[in-house]
Structures are given as C-alpha cells and as structure tokens.
Amino acid sequence: MSDSPYILPWLDILYGTLESLAILVGLTLNSLALRYFYKRRHQLSNLLFLLITVNDLVILTSCIPTAVSMLSNRNAVLFNYRGVCILAGFLFNISSRMSVFLIALLALARSISLLFPFRLRRNRVVYLLPLCIYLFLNLLLASLPLIFSKKMYYFHSISAACSWGVNDLSFVGGEVGRNYTSAWYGMTYSTIIIPWFAPAVIVLVSFAFSLHSLLKSGRQRRKMTVGQNQELDREASKNLTGSGTGSSRNGNHGNAMRSTNHATMTIVIATSVYVIFNVPGWMMNVIMLLSLRDQNFNTFFSGFSGIYLGYFMTILSVVLNSASNSLIYFSRMDLLRKENGEMFCWILSRIKVTMRGCGRTSKSNSP
C-alpha cells in the first residue's frame, strides 16, 4: 500500500471499479468481434480491425492486475508474482504504443480509399510492412529494461502498475530521480517517446480529411431533389434485398454512397474516441519531452491531481478506449450483431435440447 498522503481509498475504488467494468465489457465484446473480423480478414479494413481487436484484448488482459491492485488499496496482489509483473508491464508497454499506430493505419487506409476510389489499393504489404517494423521497434524499446536495467519491470504503488523509468537503465546512470538533466537521459527519453505519439499526426490529419469527405457528401446529398433521393433509396433497397431485376446506375451510386459514408463514419467515430481518450496522454508526454532540462518537472505527478490524472492518462484512458472500440463495432456493424445473435440463439437452443434430454432421462429412470 502506498504511504502517499494524496491517496484517497474511495477514489481508488471508483477508478478500480470503472477499470474492471471496462475490462469485463471489452474482453467479452472484443472476443465476439474477433471471430467476425477473422472470417473477413481478406478485406484490408477488416484485417486492420482484426489487429486492433487483438491488440485491445492484450491491453485489457495486461491491465487486470492493475485493476485488482486499485481495488486492494494499491497493494501488489497479482504483481507479487515476478512473472506477472514483467509480463503485464511488457505487454502493456507494447500494446499501448501499437494502438496508436494501428488506428493511424486504419485512418490512412480510409483516406487513401476516399482520395483514389477507383485505384487498386489492396496491396497489404504497403500497410503490413510498416506495421512489422513498428512492432519490432516497440519490442526493442520494451526490452530495454530487461537488457540494461537491474530492476527490470517493478511494481510502483503510486501508479499501481509494473513499469520502469529511463533513469533505471544502466547506461543512463544514477538512481531513480537523479540525472534528469543528463544528455543520455534526454536522448533515451526522446527515442522512446517520439515513436509513441508521432503516428498521432497521421491520425489527426486522416481524421480531418475523412470528416471533410463526410461533410462534402452530405452537402451533395442535400442538393439533390426529394425525388432523386427517393429514387436512390428505392434502387438501393432493391439491390440490397435482391428483388430487383438488375442494378441500375442510380442504384449502384446509391449503394456506393451509403456504403462509403457508413464505413467512413465508423472509422471517424473510432478515431474520435481514440483522440478523446489519448490527447491527454499525448499532451503529458509532449510537456515532459519539452521539460527534460527542468529537474522539477516530475513533481507535478507526485501530488493529488498528478497521481489520479497521471493514472487516467497512462492506464485508465487506454483501457476505456479499448472497451469503447468493441462498443463501436457492435453499434455500427449490423452483420456483427446478427451473427452473434444467431450464435447465442443456437447456444440457447442446444442448452434447451440438453435440458429436455436430461429431463426425459430422469423420468425414465424414476421408479
């Protein structure tokens, strides 16, 4: 348990409960979405959604010990097991960084499809190669404490998580809290932080472009007459239900417009949620990066506001974002809801059949 006078037990319980609920909802819905995206992984957007879903599952799983710690007066609990501490810290370190890069790839792919709608854009190597390079870079950065630090990943009662600091690395020198002004410290910290929020630039630019495209499409639709809109609706409905004898030009245009706008809106919503939850963390790291020469920049994170605001920026916001992604999938993708609804109906039907069989067996065995 932390000895800090700024720790409030009731606020820890609130944070821990919120984090636990987000983990429960996120693990459940992301697991259901995983099957849906895996079956459709041959399409680029679904492949990226699949990778985001896998990454969110890793984030949520690695934060289970943290939620338990928050609900236990910031005691180590699960982190008492050395393997859990290292594995949870290592996985969260990687997955939290990968999330921004995956969102950046998804937003970039949507922007390219809007800019060049008639060009072949299915070459996955263009997207997967940078992803593999970025993953390798993050594996290397997350392994620094395992290679150069005597402490490796260790439990912090203040943050209720297992992590490490730049000053723990042997080539930086000094104990924790010292030599913040050294050239090695600034160079190492910059190398670790810049790859984390650099993809945020791509996310923001692609988000702005997709939003502009949606607004432009809406203006074009409003310029059409009521009769033209109704004709597009009728033709699109025929093509979607298969009742039409052929696909007209208007029908194809209506279908394409709705499909493109719906997909773009889904990605805009996912990007917006990501930006909302991660802008505080980006700002924190930018401030710390620009304040490396100030030996007192770390004092902010030792007070009441710093402890709880820092926890929200670094852990809770990431967990909430991972859970929110699954809610977006189920709210925006009709086929995903339909498939899982059919699966639950099948499971319930099998349970009923089993229960009936057990009932008949018990009756036949009764004297």
Side-chain angles (χ1 to χ4, degrees):
M1 181 177 179
S2 175
D3 297 327
S4 174
Y6 303 105
I7 298 298
L8 298 179
W10 68 268
L11 196 52
D12 281 358
I13 296 295
L14 178 62
Y15 268 47
T17 302
L18 182 60
E19 185 176 355
S20 299
L21 290 175
I23 290 174
L24 179 62
V25 172
L27 286 177
T28 302
L29 297 184
N30 275 307
S31 298
L32 295 174
L34 188 66
R35 174 175 170 268
Y36 173 84
F37 291 129
Y38 181 78
K39 290 169 59 177
R40 294 161 177 81
R41 65 189 182 280
H42 302 293
Q43 187 178 357
L44 178 60
S45 59
N46 286 328
L47 176 62
L48 293 175
F49 276 125
L50 173 64
L51 295 175
I52 292 173
T53 302
V54 172
N55 192 73
D56 285 339
L57 287 171
V58 174
I59 288 175
L60 295 167
T61 304
S62 64
C63 286
I64 292 176
T66 307
V68 173
S69 179
M70 288 295 289
L71 293 173
S72 306
N73 295 323
R74 297 186 184 245
N75 291 310
V77 193
L78 296 177
F79 286 130
N80 281 322
Y81 299 96
R82 188 62 181 149
V84 173
C85 183
I86 295 176
L87 185 61
F90 184 79
L91 291 178
F92 183 78
N93 201 315
I94 295 174
S95 56
S96 59
R97 294 170 184 270
M98 290 301 300
S99 61
V100 63
F101 195 79
L102 288 168
I103 288 291
L105 283 182
L106 183 65
L108 182 63
R110 172 50 50 178
S111 298
I112 292 176
S113 68
L114 293 173
L115 277 173
F116 310 105
F118 302 108
R119 290 189 181 181
L120 185 65
R121 55 183 186 277
R122 303 299 181 187
N123 191 354
R124 299 183 179 190
V125 177
V126 176
Y127 297 94
L128 295 183
L129 182 59
L131 178 64
C132 292
I133 295 174
Y134 190 78
L135 176 59
F136 174 78
L137 176 63
N138 279 288
L139 286 171
L140 182 63
L141 293 176
S143 301
L144 286 178
L146 304 178
I147 301 172
F148 296 104
S149 176
K150 296 180 180 179
K151 294 184 177 181
M152 297 194 293
Y153 287 87
Y154 52 94
F155 178 72
H156 291 265
S157 58
I158 292 295
S159 61
C162 280
S163 59
W164 60 282
V166 174
N167 230 51
D168 300 328
L169 303 179
S170 57
F171 62 84
V172 175
E175 298 297 330
V176 179
R178 295 177 57 193
N179 293 338
Y180 280 105
T181 56
S182 68
W184 268 112
Y185 184 92
M187 186 184 305
T188 307
Y189 189 85
S190 302
T191 303
I192 293 173
I193 292 299
I194 289 177
W196 184 70
F197 63 78
V201 178
I202 300 176
V203 171
L204 295 176
V205 173
S206 299
F207 167 75
F209 179 80
S210 297
L211 187 61
H212 171 74
S213 175
L214 278 176
L215 295 175
K216 182 179 179 181
S217 177
R219 287 194 297 268
Q220 291 176 347
R221 186 68 187 263
R222 286 193 295 271
K223 289 180 181 179
M224 300 172 66
T225 64
V226 175
Q228 288 174 322
N229 276 306
Q230 290 176 346
E231 179 64 21
L232 283 177
D233 291 336
R234 284 193 296 268
E235 293 293 341
S237 178
K238 288 180 181 179
N239 291 329
L240 288 172
T241 58
S243 60
T245 57
S247 59
S248 68
R249 182 177 180 181
N250 283 343
N252 289 333
H253 179 69
N255 275 332
M257 180 183 294
R258 284 166 179 77
S259 177
T260 300
N261 287 348
H262 188 83
T264 304
M265 177 58 74
T266 301
I267 294 176
V268 165
I269 293 174
T271 307
S272 301
V273 171
Y274 186 88
V275 169
I276 290 172
F277 281 120
N278 287 273
V279 159
W282 295 342
M283 293 176 62
M284 179 189 72
N285 281 284
V286 169
I287 292 173
M288 293 179 70
L289 189 63
L290 296 176
S291 306
L292 286 176
R293 307 302 293 183
D294 181 7
Q295 298 187 47
N296 297 318
F297 78 93
N298 201 41
T299 56
F300 167 78
F301 297 98
S302 60
F304 168 78
S305 60
I307 288 175
Y308 288 98
L309 185 60
Y311 186 86
F312 176 82
M313 288 178 175
T314 56
I315 297 177
L316 186 57
S317 63
V318 179
V319 173
L320 292 175
N321 181 73
S322 295
S324 300
N325 286 340
S326 61
L327 294 174
I328 294 171
Y329 303 152
F330 276 86
S331 64
R332 297 288 301 172
M333 301 178 181
D334 297 334
L335 192 56
L336 172 61
R337 294 196 303 271
K338 181 181 178 182
E339 283 194 4
N340 282 283
E342 292 174 350
M343 182 181 68
F344 282 122
C345 289
W346 180 84
I347 293 174
L348 289 175
S349 66
R350 298 309 300 172
I351 293 175
K352 289 180 180 179
V353 169
T354 303
M355 292 179 66
R356 288 173 184 173
C358 293
R360 291 171 184 171
T361 303
S362 62
K363 288 180 180 180
S364 62
N365 293 333
S366 60

